[in-house]
Amino acid sequence: MMMPGGPGGPGMSMGSLAFDEFGRPFMILKDEMAQNRLTGNDAIKSHIIAAKAVANILKTSLGPKGLDKLMVSADGDVTITNDGATILKQMDVDHQVAKLMVQLSQSQDDEIGDGTTGVVVLCGALLEQAEHLIDKGIHAIRIADGFELAAQCAIKNLEKIADEYKVDPTNTENLVRTAKTTLGSKIINKCHDQMARIAVDAVMAVADLETRDVNFELIKVEAKVGGAMEDSMLVKGVIVDKDFSTPKCPNS
């Protein structure tokens, strides 16, 4: 069954409409067999190139000498950050494998809250080494199995060298020092001591020490225009943001 003719006349058909055994329609495009398609190692290498391109963008923002990225949205909003999840969230990515790199960074941000840049750079480095192995004739499945074995070996080694730290609700200095290490590259690093203490106090207020679980839905961040970062505070309770109905209402 041929499709109706296009603007070029009844003879200029773009393809034909066919049906499978379940009655579902699908299109058979004209000259489909003449189109170039990547298969085998060429297709794998094209995916690796796309992933490496995303990793190279974030590579320059990693570490103590990392540079911030300035991004301008379609609406003209300017964002300056070196956070990997924020950078990838602002990027317009079309390639499917590159989108997986974006999802990898977002998953790291949701689960851990830090290391969004490092996890993408590490993934790009692993894929770069995988490309060399593919050139040597090693199958992609074998390479993936090797990465899985390496991950299991790394986890066992981490468990061997890890030190167990018991959380003491009455002494949170070690937790504050740990929190400060994650704020060094953020824009709030000039008052990272205060912010670290606020973060630790907020987590300890809602943490379940028996199950070692924290429900972050119980912690809300309310932003107000004006003032300085040093004016930030932790309120253990409920904040009702409401204007005065009359100037005669008491303000204290």
Side-chain angles (χ1 to χ4, degrees):
M1 175 179 178
M2 298 298 294
M3 293 294 292
M12 299 294 292
S13 176
M14 295 299 295
S16 60
L17 178 65
F19 298 89
D20 61 8
E21 63 272 18
F22 299 104
R24 293 174 298 193
F26 63 92
M27 287 291 298
I28 301 178
L29 299 179
K30 184 179 179 181
D31 300 331
E32 186 176 5
M33 297 300 296
Q35 296 180 1
N36 293 326
R37 292 185 179 182
L38 295 176
T39 58
N41 290 341
D42 292 336
I44 295 176
K45 288 184 177 181
S46 69
H47 297 330
I48 293 177
I49 291 173
K52 285 167 55 179
V54 176
N56 290 333
I57 293 175
L58 299 185
K59 190 179 296 184
T60 56
S61 63
L62 182 66
K65 296 184 180 179
L67 303 177
D68 291 348
K69 297 289 187 293
L70 188 148
M71 295 166 291
V72 182
S73 65
D75 299 332
D77 297 333
V78 178
T79 303
I80 300 176
T81 181
N82 65 352
D83 181 65
T86 305
I87 295 173
L88 293 178
K89 194 180 299 181
Q90 298 286 338
M91 291 173 55
D92 186 13
V93 180
D94 292 332
H95 199 280
Q96 295 299 323
V97 175
K99 289 181 179 179
L100 289 178
M101 300 288 281
V102 176
Q103 295 175 6
L104 172 65
S105 179
Q106 293 176 352
S107 299
Q108 178 76 7
D109 190 28
D110 295 338
E111 294 294 330
I112 307 299
D114 194 24
T116 55
T117 303
V119 70
V120 175
V121 174
L122 177 62
C123 182
L126 292 175
L127 290 175
E128 184 176 358
Q129 297 302 317
E131 186 177 9
H132 298 325
L133 296 176
I134 290 175
D135 292 335
K136 293 181 180 180
I138 302 176
H139 197 274
I141 296 179
R142 295 296 183 186
I143 298 174
D145 293 340
F147 283 160
E148 182 67 27
L149 293 176
Q152 295 176 4
C153 181
I155 292 174
K156 291 180 181 178
N157 191 43
L158 288 174
E159 293 175 349
K160 185 185 302 182
I161 65 176
D163 294 330
E164 184 178 357
Y165 173 74
K166 296 186 179 299
V167 177
D168 186 5
T170 60
N171 185 11
T172 59
E173 287 301 320
N174 288 333
L175 293 177
V176 172
R177 286 198 294 267
T178 303
K180 286 166 63 175
T181 61
T182 65
L183 300 177
S185 62
K186 310 300 181 184
I187 196 172
I188 59 175
N189 58 355
K190 65 178 182 179
C191 53
H192 64 291
D193 184 73
Q194 176 189 0
M195 295 299 175
R197 293 187 180 277
I198 290 177
V200 171
D201 292 340
V203 170
M204 293 302 295
V206 299
D208 188 350
L209 298 180
E210 294 183 359
T211 60
R212 302 170 68 96
D213 185 42
V214 179
N215 185 6
F216 289 103
E217 296 294 329
L218 299 177
I219 302 175
K220 303 296 182 182
V221 179
E222 188 72 24
K224 286 296 179 182
V225 179
M229 279 192 255
E230 291 79 2
D231 298 331
S232 302
M233 66 178 67
L234 174 64
V235 178
K236 295 183 179 180
V238 179
I239 296 179
V240 180
D241 186 12
K242 191 176 186 304
D243 296 332
F244 291 118
S245 57
T246 172
K248 295 180 180 180
C249 290
N251 55 10
S252 61

